[in-house]
Amino acid sequence: MRLVLLGPPGAGKGTQSVILAKQYKVPHISTGDILRESVKNGASLGLKAKSYMDKGELVPDDVVIGIAAERLKMADCKGGFILDGFPRTLKQAEGLDEALKGIGSGIDLVLYFETGEQVAITRLTGRRVCRKCGFNYHIKNIPPKKEGICDKCGGELFQRPDDTETTVRNRLVVYEQQTKPLIAYYEKKGVLKKVSGDLDVQELNDVLSKVFSEAQLV
Ligand code: ADP
Ligand code: ZN
């Protein structure tokens, strides 16, 4: 199964990706995660990316296309992959097409997580992340047992610098302007499938199982 997850920040792409990767045993590729890892390691890529990320702007296309293309060449992607948060611009979508052609592959399905703006804002501003294991919580929807502490590993929870309300609003504007055109791009290719990102985690996962069996991907 070779999937692209498309939708605004806060649509739940990351959450579903983690579950789907386990269910269908394919790697979850998040350009956001890869970039944050580089920031954490102090890699030169991270230094370049951080200023964009903190403002909620997109990291330049050539940088993320390079990251994704390298990752897709790795052996574990042979049996499929879930791309989460890439592509985000038309230029990136074209870069992805090129990269996949280069490895004799293609996309089976683009899932578009259609999500209301208020739902996205509430989810993102309430999100807390474990500093140690990266697990995502939400102060209301998925609270940890003990405030500020990860249930899974005891790590400290923190708010991503780009999850503050002002930056979240900017990310949504960036999404409208730069990413939304991808809906038409993939519709034209006949691979787009719209689902509701407003559903809760389990409901959406059930919907996706049906979509995959209908598309004969499982
Ligand atoms: P979200 O989907 O919730 O916005 P991500 O973790 O996917 O969060 O991305 C966080 C930030 O990383 C983005 O705001 C952007 O700066 C950068 N980023 C991630 N993926 C891309 C991409 N494909 N193109 C450009 N920038 C990206
Ligand atoms: Zn943890």
Side-chain angles (χ1 to χ4, degrees):
M1 121 178 340
R2 292 161 305 192
L3 296 180
V4 168
L5 271 45
L6 185 66
K13 305 185 296 293
T15 304
Q16 290 297 330
S17 295
V18 170
I19 302 173
L20 295 175
K22 262 204 200 133
Q23 283 173 330
Y24 301 104
K25 302 192 174 47
V26 286
H28 165 212
I29 304 173
S30 156
T31 41
D33 285 349
I34 296 172
L35 290 166
R36 272 187 295 280
E37 201 51 40
S38 308
V39 171
K40 216 163 140 189
N41 296 338
S44 63
L45 168 68
L47 294 178
K48 198 171 163 194
K50 189 176 182 338
S51 58
Y52 296 99
M53 296 172 77
D54 285 351
K55 282 184 284 195
E57 301 289 336
L58 295 183
V59 173
D61 285 333
D62 55 334
V63 175
V64 279
I65 292 170
I67 293 175
E70 280 309 302
R71 183 64 189 85
L72 286 165
K73 269 190 213 153
M74 291 165 75
D76 63 339
C77 294
K78 284 218 173 75
F81 50 78
I82 300 170
L83 277 172
D84 161 20
F86 179 88
R88 263 179 154 99
T89 64
L90 283 170
K91 183 117 179 287
Q92 291 179 22
E94 287 159 10
L96 174 60
D97 288 343
E98 282 295 304
L100 290 177
K101 227 192 268 162
I103 54 172
S105 185
I107 297 164
D108 296 320
L109 202 59
V110 176
L111 295 168
Y112 166 41
F113 286 31
E114 198 177 30
T115 310
E117 186 179 78
Q118 198 46 54
V119 172
I121 292 173
T122 307
R123 283 182 185 164
L124 292 171
T125 53
R127 168 159 71 185
R128 298 294 181 271
V129 185
C130 174
R131 219 178 264 291
K132 242 178 159 175
C133 75
F135 192 82
N136 282 12
Y137 294 86
H138 186 278
I139 49 171
K140 285 211 196 78
N141 306 343
I142 320 166
K145 291 202 185 81
K146 205 168 150 209
E147 198 187 318
I149 305 288
C150 177
D151 294 345
K152 307 205 177 274
C153 77
E156 177 205 3
L157 304 187
F158 78 110
Q159 183 175 42
R160 264 171 50 175
D162 58 345
D163 278 347
T164 56
E165 178 145 1
T166 326
T167 309
V168 162
R169 287 192 185 276
N170 191 38
R171 283 159 68 194
L172 289 166
V173 171
V174 167
Y175 169 77
E176 287 291 324
Q177 292 173 345
Q178 303 194 50
T179 309
K180 257 206 159 159
L182 292 184
I183 296 168
Y185 181 84
Y186 285 119
E187 221 159 29
K188 231 189 238 161
K189 286 181 182 278
V191 289
L192 192 85
K193 175 76 193 172
K194 203 193 279 187
V195 296
S196 169
D198 289 347
L199 296 175
D200 75 28
V201 176
Q202 189 54 54
E203 283 172 338
L204 180 50
N205 188 248
D206 292 344
V207 168
L208 295 182
S209 302
K210 268 194 214 119
V211 168
F212 297 146
S213 63
E214 275 164 20
Q216 298 183 321
L217 290 179
V218 290

